[in-house]
Every structure is written in C-alpha cells, then in structure tokens.
Amino acid sequence: MKPLARYLPILEWGRAYDRRMAGADLLAAVIVTIMLIPQSLAYALLAGLPPEMGLYASILPLVAYAIFGTSRTLAVGPVAVVSLMTAAAIGTLGLDDPAQIALAAGALALMSGLILTAMGVLQLGALANFLSHPVIAGFITASGILIAASQIKHILGIEAHGHTLVMLVGSLWAHLGDINLPTVLLGISALAFLFWVRRGLKPLLRRLGLSPRAADIVTKAGPVLAVAATTLVTWTLSLQDAGVRIVGTVPTGLPPMGIPSLDPSLWGQLFLSALLISIIGFVESVSVAQTLAAKRRQRIRPDQELIGLGTANIAASVSGGFPVTGGFARSVVNFDAGAETPAAGAFTAIGILVAALALTPLLYYLPQATLAATIIVAVLGLVDLSILRRAWGYSRVDFAAVAGTIVLTLAFGVEVGVSAGVLLSIALHLYKTSRPHIAEEGLVPGTQHFRNIHRHDVETMPQIVTLRIDESLYFANARFLEDYILDRVTRDPALRHVVLHCAAVNEIDMSALETLEELNRRLRDMGLVLHLSEVKGPVMDRLKRTHFLDDLTGEVFLAQFDAWRTLKRSIAVAADHGDRAAE
C-alpha cells in the first residue's frame, strides 16, 4: 500500500476522513465556489477564451488534484499569471477561429500537464530552486501590471491590443476617442465597489453584529454581488444596445470531453510556452502550498505536487479547459475557511459543475467590464514595487535581477520576461558563487576560534596566512581563488605557510581540483607550503582518490587551531635553529 500511497495521497488522508472533516471541507468549498465562479469567468476572458472555459477549468482539475496532490488546502484552478501567459502563447499562433483557439488552449494544458507529470516522476521538484525569489517577485509584479493594463480596454469599452506595456498604452491612447460612457460608469462602479468590499465591508458587517465567519463569507461573495448587480442593471436598462459589451450566451451543460489537438506543428509552436507555464505555475503553486502547510505543521512533497498539478492540467485539457495551477488568493480563502483535506477542492468542483449546469443563462447580460474589474482588483494584490526598495537596500545584485525582470517583462512580454528571469536566476547564482567570500583569519586571543582580521582584534603571524573559503569550489570560481591567493602571497615576502580553511567547502569539482594542484606547484616554486584544515568527510573521500594529497607540500589538519599551533611551533623551532646557527 505504501508505494501506491506515495503516488495517491488520497489513500493517506482518506483513511482518516470523518464527518467533522467533511463538514469543514463543505463549508470551505461553499466559500471558495462563491469566489471562484466570477474569477473563472474573468480569467478565461483574460486568456482570450470563451468564459465557459473558465468554469470547465475549475471542475475536473480540482478533482484530479484532490486525488494526486499533497497539500491539504491548495485550491487549484485558473490564475491570473498563467492565464496571461496562455493568452500570450495563443496570440503568437495568429488564430481567428474560436474553436481552433479553444483546441490550442487544450493542447497547451495537455503539454503542461505532461511536462509537470514527467518532472514529478523523475523527481525534479528541486529544479524550482533555480528561480530566485527576487526574480519571481519581479516577474509577478510586472505581470500584475500587464494584466491590469490589458483590462483597461474593457473598463473603457474600447479596442486595444498588445502584449507589452508600451503596446497596450499606445493602443489605449489611440482609441481614447471611442470610449463608451455607460461601460465606463459600470466599470468604475464595479471597481470602486470591489475595492471597498476588500477593505470596508467586513468591518461594517462586524459592527452590524454579524459573526466573523458570516462577515467573511459575505465579504468573499463581493465579486458575486458585483456580477449580480451589474448584470441586473444591464438587463433592465438594455445597456447592450448602448454599446456595453456583454458576455452573451454561455453554453449550459457538462464540460465537453475529448482529446485536444495533437498536431505536431502546433505542439512545436507551443512547447516553449508550455514549459514556461509549467515552471511558473509550479513555482507559484508550491510556494503557496508550502506556506500554508507550515502554518499547520504539515508537509508537502514537491515531486508529488508536480504530479498533482500535472494530472490537474491533463484533466483540464480533456474537459474543455486551459492551463491551471494553485492560486494564492483562493488557497488562502480555502485555508481560512477551515478546509481540512483536498476533498474541499472536489466539493468546490461540484459547486462549479452546478453553476455550469444551471446558472449560465443568468450570465448572458454580464458586462465584460465587471469581469475586467474583478481581474484588476485581484491582480493589483500581486503588484509589489516595494521589492525594488528592499532589494536595493539589501543587495545591488538582487536589485539588478528584480529590476531587469520587471523591465524586460513590461517591455517585451511575459514569455521574454520569464525566460529572462530563468536566465537571470542562473546568472545571479553563477555570479555570486564565482566570486566567493574569502576571509583572512586570525586567532581570537584566549580561545581556539578564528575570525576575520578586518572585523575582529585577532592574533596573526607574519609567516602564516589563513584563508577561509566560504563557498564550494567548482569551475566558475576556481580561477578566482587561485588569483586571490597568488596576489596575496606575492605582496608579502615574509610568508612561509598558506592554510586553506575549508569548513564551508561542501564540494570540490574536477576543475577546482586541477586548480588546487596547480596552486600547490606554484606555491612550492615560490618557497611556500600549502596546508588544508577542517576538510569535510565527503570532500576528503574524493581527494583521497587522487594524487593531490600525496603531492601536497603541507598537511591536512583536523582543526584550524591544530594547524595554527603546529605551524607556530615549527616556526619557533626553525627560528631557534637559526639563532643557534648564527651563534
């Protein structure tokens, strides 16, 4: 059972499932369903797809994740950033037929699902670590700005196109003369109401005597209230005749089951986009899942999360949906509402299914401006420009990575932005580790501890230099170490011993080993002796399989203090012999 449970986490939590858990999951599902219905419609609009596809992407994927996912509270479905990336990917295909666009979206979901599942089976969850947090924060912030800018056209009731901020602003400016006043009034009213709901509705309800739980449920229903009110106004006043764009007919019924397009040329065009969506979706999802799990002292398994998200996307692809992942806002709502297990997601799927079967006729007069307002309010929470100030104050290198990701995403679009983010993350790692911190150490008087001579009042000897290397040694930083040591020893003719304090060195690769061998030879020719201290066991095991230790001019000391005491004694003995010889 255990090997099977590893890939089917439902077998673990399902055995302990009881009535209390079911009650908590049902309540959480009701709240999340209320929130998810308008969000699903809005994110389908953002992705450039028919609104019903947002509902379809919120049914079977939730069930698949409930079976294969490891987070107890993660809520899977359409999210803003992935929807924007979907729109950008499909936009490059130049398709006009809605049916072909829907097939392409399904193919994108299937490819993403297969990529994520394969990564999970191969246990590649650690690959997410190659995206640094500053770069991810910069990309999400820029994406939030792009998403909000892309929805302004629906608020104003005009045409505007573009996948970069410059293109969007230019297109909006060119069509300002076509602004539709009824649409603006609806859109601004919906925006104002939704912003007020976020900040003012819950305190008002509490003052009116509602319990915290009831006030929270009503607050989460804010977007539904906006949808209902603006739909009623549009229908009553026939605003569609005045130029207000409405959702129109939304098909009623079960999600259409079928295999998306398997056209090799289409897959070739979408592969890079699918890969980027998979990476960003997984990073966003696993970050949320880990944060929420920690609050309950639970654990998630990143590799199994890949499989959970992969199967959710495969489910989306065969049920008329588009790429999905774990959403931050709805997952927090799910958590706060008291969800106990992934069954809350399955119950939410039932709620969305009921909406798809019974409520879609009521959406005919829903203004697109209301959905745009829902998106804008949701994504502005993603925009965190303060990351620039924090990064600038902490690290100029991290600031450059954040600023570069933001600028590139806004200037060239999300695909270039996320690709640049991946490259910047790798480049940032290589840059930092290629110039490791090297501290020249001395003995703290009265102790056996060694500290940086530039930070502490320590004891040193002119014949000995101790250098602590605060990084593993590999091809990218080996030459830096060699240059640093040779520069240090050539400036001090009194030196006789060089000690490399290796307590922080976790690995030495072949390139670094060759550099150490060359360094040992060059120091020997200069009349200097090279020693190592506090070499870790796994590193020592590798060194023993080479000739380096046999050729080493000095010794390998168990502790830095042993090196100091031994070399100090040998220097004293040599000085004593010299004095006697002089006599």
Side-chain angles (χ1 to χ4, degrees):
M1 178 66 72
K2 286 186 178 180
L4 185 60
R6 176 183 176 185
Y7 293 103
L8 291 172
I10 190 175
L11 298 179
E12 296 178 3
W13 58 263
R15 286 195 295 268
Y17 202 68
D18 55 26
R19 183 176 298 179
R20 182 192 63 81
M21 291 181 176
D25 288 341
L26 278 169
L27 178 59
V30 170
I31 298 174
V32 174
T33 299
I34 292 171
M35 176 185 184
L36 189 54
I37 289 173
Q39 274 196 358
S40 298
L41 299 170
Y43 291 146
L45 178 70
L46 174 61
L49 301 169
E52 66 270 15
M53 291 187 68
L55 296 176
Y56 299 157
S58 303
I59 299 176
L60 280 188
L62 279 70
V63 177
Y65 182 83
I67 297 172
F68 294 97
T70 62
S71 172
R72 299 295 180 96
T73 54
L74 187 71
V76 173
V79 300
V81 174
V82 170
S83 297
L84 179 65
M85 296 178 71
T86 298
I90 297 177
T92 61
L93 301 177
L95 300 176
D96 296 322
D97 183 2
Q100 292 298 318
I101 292 174
L103 286 174
L108 196 59
L110 179 57
M111 293 173 67
S112 178
L114 293 175
I115 291 170
L116 288 165
T117 303
M119 290 175 64
V121 172
L122 297 174
Q123 299 185 0
L124 299 179
L127 288 179
N129 298 333
F130 285 95
L131 279 172
S132 70
H133 178 265
V135 165
I136 287 294
F139 172 72
I140 291 178
T141 290
S143 296
I145 295 172
L146 276 179
I147 291 168
S150 71
Q151 297 307 298
I152 294 176
K153 64 181 181 182
H154 297 296
I155 300 293
L156 300 180
I158 62 177
E159 292 289 341
H161 304 283
H163 62 279
T164 70
L165 187 61
V166 174
M167 293 171 64
L168 283 170
V169 171
S171 185
L172 287 169
W173 181 262
H175 291 88
L176 279 181
D178 302 329
I179 287 178
N180 181 269
L181 185 58
T183 301
V184 172
L185 292 175
L186 279 174
I188 296 299
S189 298
L191 275 174
F193 174 74
L194 291 173
F195 276 120
W196 174 77
V197 163
R198 280 203 161 192
R199 296 181 176 269
L201 181 57
K202 188 172 182 179
L204 175 62
L205 295 175
R206 293 288 292 120
R207 288 195 298 269
L208 293 176
L210 263 69
S211 67
R213 176 59 61 88
D216 191 57
I217 293 175
V218 175
T219 301
K220 297 300 186 296
V224 175
L225 297 176
V227 166
T230 55
T231 301
L232 182 61
V233 168
T234 303
W235 172 67
T236 302
L237 301 179
S238 298
L239 293 181
Q240 72 277 10
D241 296 333
V244 174
R245 296 175 183 174
I246 59 175
V247 169
T249 302
V250 178
T252 299
L254 296 171
M257 304 299 293
I259 303 297
S261 174
L262 301 178
D263 181 9
S265 64
L266 177 64
W267 280 47
Q269 291 176 283
L270 291 177
F271 177 77
L272 179 59
S273 297
L275 179 62
L276 295 177
I277 287 173
S278 301
I279 294 172
I280 291 299
F282 172 64
V283 171
E284 180 179 355
S285 179
V286 80
S287 299
V288 175
Q290 287 176 334
T291 300
L292 297 179
K295 292 183 178 182
R296 293 184 180 175
R297 296 190 177 184
Q298 297 171 346
R299 296 281 294 171
I300 68 163
R301 302 199 305 271
D303 292 328
Q304 183 60 33
E305 280 298 290
L306 283 165
I307 296 176
L309 292 174
T311 53
N313 275 280
I314 293 173
S317 72
V318 299
S319 59
F322 58 98
V324 298
T325 191
F328 175 75
R330 75 175 69 102
S331 295
V332 171
V333 169
N334 197 39
F335 178 90
D336 291 340
E340 293 275 353
T341 72
F347 294 146
T348 300
I350 295 174
I352 301 296
L353 179 60
V354 171
L357 290 173
L359 301 180
T360 52
L362 302 177
L363 301 174
Y364 182 88
Y365 291 98
L366 172 59
Q368 292 186 10
T370 302
L371 294 180
T374 302
I375 293 173
I376 291 173
V377 173
V379 300
L380 286 182
L382 302 175
V383 178
D384 180 20
L385 293 176
S386 66
I387 187 68
L388 291 169
R389 174 178 51 81
R390 297 198 305 272
W392 177 265
Y394 186 76
S395 167
R396 299 295 191 269
V397 175
D398 285 333
F399 172 81
V402 174
T405 303
I406 291 176
V407 170
L408 288 170
T409 302
L410 294 178
F412 299 102
V414 290
E415 291 197 353
V416 172
V418 69
S419 301
V422 173
L423 295 177
L424 279 172
S425 294
I426 297 173
L428 183 63
H429 170 74
L430 291 175
Y431 176 79
K432 287 180 176 179
T433 57
S434 67
R435 302 175 62 85
H437 178 255
I438 300 175
E440 185 170 338
E441 295 180 316
L443 178 66
V444 178
T447 73
Q448 296 184 10
H449 300 291
F450 290 78
R451 293 293 183 269
N452 193 321
I453 64 173
H454 300 298
R455 296 178 179 270
H456 301 272
D457 184 14
V458 293
E459 177 185 344
T460 61
M461 292 187 65
Q463 300 92 340
I464 304 173
V465 60
T466 295
L467 301 174
R468 189 189 71 235
I469 309 163
D470 294 334
E471 185 66 65
S472 291
L473 298 178
Y474 72 119
F475 65 90
N477 61 21
R479 181 56 59 87
F480 176 84
L481 174 67
E482 181 181 16
D483 292 341
Y484 183 96
I485 294 174
L486 293 176
D487 180 68
R488 173 64 182 85
V489 300
T490 53
R491 289 186 284 105
D492 195 345
L495 282 176
R496 292 295 176 267
H497 299 275
V498 177
V499 183
L500 298 186
H501 188 182
C502 301
V505 177
N506 295 316
E507 185 176 3
I508 298 176
D509 75 356
M510 281 290 294
S511 297
L513 174 63
E514 292 174 358
T515 298
L516 289 177
E517 291 172 339
E518 178 63 22
L519 182 63
N520 182 57
R521 288 192 291 269
R522 296 187 67 174
L523 291 177
R524 180 187 60 201
D525 295 341
M526 298 167 66
L528 297 169
V529 182
L530 177 64
H531 308 272
L532 306 179
S533 72
E534 300 189 18
V535 180
K536 292 186 175 181
V539 177
M540 195 66 178
D541 291 340
R542 286 194 175 187
L543 293 179
K544 286 179 178 178
R545 296 200 292 266
T546 71
H547 296 289
F548 174 71
L549 296 179
D550 297 329
D551 299 332
L552 185 66
T553 54
E555 301 180 49
V556 178
F557 295 96
L558 183 64
Q560 177 58 32
F561 184 73
D562 294 340
W564 175 265
R565 184 173 52 190
T566 301
L567 296 178
K568 185 176 181 180
R569 187 184 303 119
S570 68
I571 291 171
V573 171
D576 183 56
H577 288 166
D579 292 340
R580 291 180 181 180
E583 292 177 359

